[in-house]
Amino acid sequence: MPFSINNYYMATVPTYSVVVPLFNESESLPEFIARTTAVMDALGQPWELIMVDDGSRDNTAEILLEHATKAENIRPILFARNFGHQIAVTAGMDYARGTAIILIDADLQDPPEVIPQLIEKWHEGFEVVYAVRRQRDGESFFKKFTASAFYRLINRITDIEIPLDTGDFRLMDRKVVDVLNRMREHHRFLRGMSAWVGFRQIGVSYDRAARFAGETNYTLGRMIKLALTAITGFSFFPLQVSTYFGFLSAAVALLAIPVVIVTRLMGSQAFTGQATALIAVLFFGGVQLISLGIVGEYIGRLYDEVRGRPLYILRNNPDEPVKKS
């Protein structure tokens, strides 16, 4: 695990580490750095900005390195390829040295100006301060509805309580991040993991803005994948549903047997012919395939963990200063 620290960075141990995952954020990156720098400088405490380029296909990495040559507290982490948003955040937490670690995206939907409110609650003794979306500008009704439904579903089928209407935008105390850094599962749902570890937690409400530029990187497919990761990572409910379907099918079959016998003895032709048998076979076959698919999701995740591959691969050393070209 990458926790060695170069003497270059040991000169000033930061109070705050701001962790930012990046994927094709070249349009919003300069504005994000400018606004975040203004907010953090105003706090009067040492801070660092850890920015993780998740294999961007535009010139995000080049812009990041250019800013890093001008500001020593910007620490770039460059992935060898795209590993995903949750892994990028994990890498940032691995290298963060602050007493408080703040997670935020670079699209400026989560305003950096909210960070002082998170820090205020941290000074009051809370170890996880999550940002609650009071209003969400620039998002479709479908996305708002599905996100709301998902959080309510996950809270119903798991033993943990994930705060409603929250994302990864949050502040976590060093002791919380140290615990999360020891949890190395490949399929990660960090907002669920931070709820699972416990500690004193509180929310801060804010109005979420529209994207500063570009389009969202969280497509419907990525949202579904994240939802599956959350459900399979924190609940056995899908497996239990398969069992319930099995018992239901068996009960229907047991009830149907005497009904069919009686109707046949009475001379009824209601249950004769291939159509009835075909419908029954298709129904029970569908139930079996769905059940196998659910079991396969869990087995696939187990396989990923058993292989023991690293969560990510870097193409730079974040512990070394960026040299001017």
Side-chain angles (χ1 to χ4, degrees):
M1 291 172 60
F3 294 109
S4 61
I5 298 175
N6 184 279
N7 288 334
Y8 168 81
Y9 287 114
M10 285 294 291
T12 303
V13 176
T15 303
Y16 307 112
S17 294
V18 183
V19 173
V20 189
L22 302 172
F23 182 71
N24 296 344
E25 295 290 358
S26 58
E27 295 181 76
S28 61
L29 186 55
E31 178 70 13
F32 173 83
I33 291 176
R35 285 173 56 178
T36 303
T37 298
V39 169
M40 300 308 295
D41 282 344
L43 296 173
Q45 297 287 331
W47 61 279
E48 63 180 355
L49 186 58
I50 300 178
M51 312 197 80
V52 186
D53 178 60
D54 186 22
S56 296
R57 300 185 182 94
D58 60 5
N59 62 334
T60 295
E62 289 74 15
I63 296 174
L64 172 58
L65 292 174
E66 180 183 352
H67 280 83
T69 61
K70 301 174 183 177
E72 293 184 352
N73 59 344
I74 296 180
R75 299 179 60 194
I77 298 176
L78 308 179
F79 278 2
R81 65 168 178 84
N82 178 258
F83 284 91
H85 178 273
Q86 299 291 286
I87 301 298
V89 175
T90 299
M93 294 194 301
D94 284 344
Y95 283 94
R97 299 174 299 123
T99 308
I101 291 82
I102 299 147
L103 312 182
I104 187 172
D105 289 335
D107 55 16
L108 293 171
Q109 285 189 281
D110 300 328
E113 291 77 14
V114 178
I115 291 176
Q117 299 177 44
L118 306 182
I119 292 174
E120 182 180 350
K121 291 297 181 182
W122 178 60
H123 283 308
E124 293 177 9
F126 293 96
E127 291 139 325
V128 177
V129 186
Y130 49 85
V132 182
R133 299 161 181 170
R134 182 171 48 210
Q135 182 175 326
R136 304 175 65 163
D137 294 335
E139 294 184 357
S140 66
F141 170 80
F142 175 77
K143 186 171 183 179
K144 293 177 183 178
F145 174 78
T146 53
S148 176
F150 165 71
Y151 282 113
R152 283 154 180 80
L153 172 64
I154 197 71
N155 282 339
R156 289 290 299 271
I157 66 177
T158 64
D159 293 331
I160 63 170
E161 185 175 349
I162 301 175
L164 301 177
D165 303 319
T166 62
D168 290 323
F169 184 24
R170 63 192 57 220
L171 178 150
M172 295 182 290
D173 188 86
R174 163 53 58 187
K175 64 172 72 73
V176 179
V177 173
D178 286 343
V179 172
L180 292 176
N181 284 345
R182 293 197 294 269
M183 300 166 63
R184 306 306 289 182
E185 58 253 45
H186 286 67
H187 298 272
R188 306 175 72 81
F189 182 58
L190 289 170
R191 63 201 75 167
M193 293 166 65
S194 64
W196 181 86
V197 298
F199 296 99
R200 294 188 64 200
Q201 306 200 11
I202 194 172
V204 170
S205 298
Y206 76 107
D207 294 329
R208 199 172 199 229
R211 282 185 64 89
F212 178 79
E215 297 180 356
T216 178
N217 294 314
Y218 256 103
T219 61
L220 179 60
R222 289 176 182 242
M223 290 170 61
I224 292 174
K225 184 177 179 181
L226 183 64
L228 285 174
T229 297
I231 292 171
T232 56
F234 292 93
S235 174
F236 295 115
F237 181 74
L239 294 174
Q240 294 167 342
V241 167
S242 301
T243 303
Y244 298 151
F245 267 122
F247 278 114
L248 178 62
S249 300
V252 170
L254 287 174
L255 292 173
I257 290 172
V259 173
V260 172
I261 292 174
V262 171
T263 54
R264 286 290 183 87
L265 292 175
M266 295 176 62
S268 173
Q269 302 297 314
F271 294 99
T272 60
Q274 294 182 353
T276 303
L278 182 60
I279 292 172
V281 169
L282 290 175
F283 172 75
F284 292 117
V287 170
Q288 290 173 340
L289 289 175
I290 292 172
S291 300
L292 283 174
I294 292 172
V295 173
E297 285 290 332
Y298 283 89
I299 293 176
R301 281 157 171 72
L302 284 174
Y303 179 59
D304 275 343
E305 302 302 328
V306 170
R307 283 187 297 190
R309 293 178 180 175
L311 293 181
Y312 52 84
I313 301 170
L314 306 183
R315 61 185 180 94
N316 75 318
N317 185 352
D319 289 336
E320 293 182 354
V322 178
K323 296 180 182 180
K324 297 182 179 180
S325 57

